[in-house]
């Protein structure tokens, strides 16, 4: 089976064909975690996380062109001082706003339409859009395949309307916004949180800090760093399918994935949560049927 460059981003896996069946794919990745017992954020934790990621290069995979990575990423605490200096607009106190990297269309008109849809959804979720920040990127280390599938990266900043809100209450509103943005605007967010921020992509371990200059800035500080190097035997490489996700990363095989997905789907109609109320319906489907 031959994959052309243009097919890699069209979906997580090719359709079933010949002897190939995507149901029998498996995973084997690399993951590392760095934290400080003091709880004090610093750039050294981020740098150590990126060093650990580079040391996991052997647990990731590349295409025929070694510059085409299966995926790499880092999860850290929201670097408030850095974002406050770089956003270009006023931000509420730390913890009272949510921020996340959006994977927007590269075509300007489509990106504007997507942003307008997301802002409308935010308003419906009682969230105020504080602004958008274009994330600096450097694609010189990427292959043509990776570059051809690359989205346009912008950070969305939102806060609760009216009375300031933070913690889990703000996380829940941001969660509904993120899920609706993916369903209704077709925009993937690597994360959208008042506590953590994810940088990731269809990259090698070395390419991650090279592609996102933010990660090399001394003002980027965190007390934790979760990094992941992907070996995409479960689903084909794409920018959204790089790890880590918003809370977890895994490096093992999930052989019961079909059964787990079916059980989740069967139970979705019965989901209820006091914290979400009627909003629980907005986050379905929980499991991406194409993932």
């Amino acid at each position: 089976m031959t994959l052309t460059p243009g097919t890699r981003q069209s979906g997580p896996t090719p359709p079933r064909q010949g002897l190939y069946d995507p149901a029998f794919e498996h995973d084997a990745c690399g993951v590392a975690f760095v934290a400080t017992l003091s709880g004090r954020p610093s750039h050294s934790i981020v740098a150590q996380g990126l060093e650990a990621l580079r040391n996991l290069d052997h647990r990731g995979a590349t295409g025929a062109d070694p510059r085409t990575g299966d995926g790499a990423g880092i999860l850290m605490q929201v670097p408030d001082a850095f974002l406050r200096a770089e956003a270009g607009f006023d931000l509420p106190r730390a913890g009272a706003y949510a921020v996340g990297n959006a994977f927007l269309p590269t075509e300007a008109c489509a990106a504007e339409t997507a942003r307008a849809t997301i802002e409308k959804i935010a308003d419906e979720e009682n969230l105020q859009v504080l602004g958008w920040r274009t994330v600096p990127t450097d694609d010189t280390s990427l292959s043509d395949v990776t570059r051809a599938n690359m989205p346009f990266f912008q950070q969305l900043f939102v806060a609760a309307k009216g009375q300031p809100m933070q913690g889990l209450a703000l996380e829940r509103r941001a969660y509904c916004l993120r899920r609706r943005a993916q369903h209704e605007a077709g925009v993937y967010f690597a994360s959208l949180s008042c506590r953590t921020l994810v940088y990731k992509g269809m990259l090698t371990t070395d390419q991650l800090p090279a592609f996102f200059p933010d990660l090399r800035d001394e003002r980027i500080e965190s007390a934790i760093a979760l990094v992941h190097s992907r070996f995409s035997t479960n689903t084909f490489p794409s920018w959204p399918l790089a790890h880590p996700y918003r809370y977890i990363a895994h490096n093992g095989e999930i052989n019961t994935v079909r059964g787990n997905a079916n059980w989740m789907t069967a139970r979705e109609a019965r989901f209820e949560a006091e914290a979400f109320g009627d909003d629980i319906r907005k986050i379905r489907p929980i499991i991406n049927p194409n993932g």
Side-chain angles (χ1 to χ4, degrees):
M1 180 178 62
T2 301
L3 288 177
T4 62
T7 63
R8 294 176 70 94
Q9 181 65 20
S10 60
T13 62
R16 182 176 178 178
Q17 52 188 293
L19 297 177
Y20 175 76
D21 187 337
F24 298 110
E25 296 277 11
H26 302 296
D27 258 356
C29 309
V31 63
F33 184 77
V34 181
T36 172
L37 292 175
S38 71
R40 288 192 294 272
S42 69
H43 183 70
S44 65
I45 294 296
V46 177
Q48 289 175 51
L50 293 172
E51 181 180 2
L53 180 64
R54 284 190 289 271
N55 291 334
L56 288 171
D57 184 64
H58 65 288
R59 294 301 304 272
T62 60
D65 184 336
R67 296 179 301 162
T68 303
D70 275 11
I74 182 170
L75 177 149
M76 69 187 81
Q77 291 175 313
V78 170
D80 177 69
F82 170 79
L83 295 176
R84 200 170 291 278
E86 292 294 321
F89 42 82
D90 292 336
L91 295 174
R93 68 175 183 271
Y97 66 90
V99 59
N101 287 327
F103 289 21
L104 291 163
T106 54
E107 201 274 320
C109 184
E112 182 57 37
T113 299
R115 280 191 296 267
T117 301
I118 291 169
E119 291 177 6
K120 179 177 181 293
I121 296 170
D123 183 64
E124 293 171 357
E125 296 298 328
N126 289 312
L127 290 169
Q128 174 191 359
V129 173
L130 303 172
W132 296 82
R133 171 187 177 247
T134 299
V135 180
T137 57
D138 181 354
D139 67 358
T140 55
S141 67
L142 306 187
S143 71
D144 290 340
V145 171
T146 307
R147 192 180 293 110
N149 295 311
M150 184 176 72
F152 175 51
F153 297 90
Q154 284 197 305
Q155 285 172 340
L156 170 66
F157 294 78
V158 295
K161 290 182 183 178
Q163 195 72 15
M165 182 181 290
Q166 57 188 58
L168 283 176
L170 182 55
E171 288 285 295
R172 292 186 185 108
R173 287 198 189 181
Y175 178 58
C176 285
L177 170 58
R178 176 173 65 78
R179 296 294 297 189
R180 290 187 61 190
Q182 186 164 356
H183 295 328
E184 300 171 34
V187 174
Y188 177 88
F189 278 87
S191 62
L192 187 59
S193 170
C194 61
R195 300 183 292 184
T196 58
L197 182 61
V198 172
Y199 285 82
K200 69 175 189 176
M202 189 175 153
L203 306 164
T204 66
T205 58
D206 284 330
Q207 286 173 342
L208 182 70
F211 181 76
F212 291 114
D214 282 0
L215 298 177
R216 307 195 304 271
D217 195 302
E218 293 286 335
R219 295 170 297 170
I220 287 275
E221 296 183 327
S222 177
I224 62 169
L226 172 65
V227 295
H228 191 279
S229 175
R230 186 165 190 253
F231 192 99
S232 60
T233 51
N234 194 1
T235 50
F236 277 75
S238 73
W239 286 85
L241 289 182
H243 300 209
Y245 297 106
R246 296 98 188 172
Y247 284 92
I248 64 170
H250 77 83
N251 68 334
E253 293 187 359
I254 302 180
N255 295 322
T256 58
V257 63
R258 178 187 290 179
N260 289 340
N262 287 342
W263 277 112
M264 178 68 81
T265 302
R267 285 164 169 74
E268 280 187 357
R270 299 168 59 189
F271 280 2
E272 59 181 48
E274 183 178 345
F276 283 99
D278 291 340
D279 286 343
I280 196 75
R281 71 185 189 282
K282 298 175 181 176
I283 66 175
R284 299 198 295 254
I286 303 297
I287 302 296
N288 177 5
N290 297 317

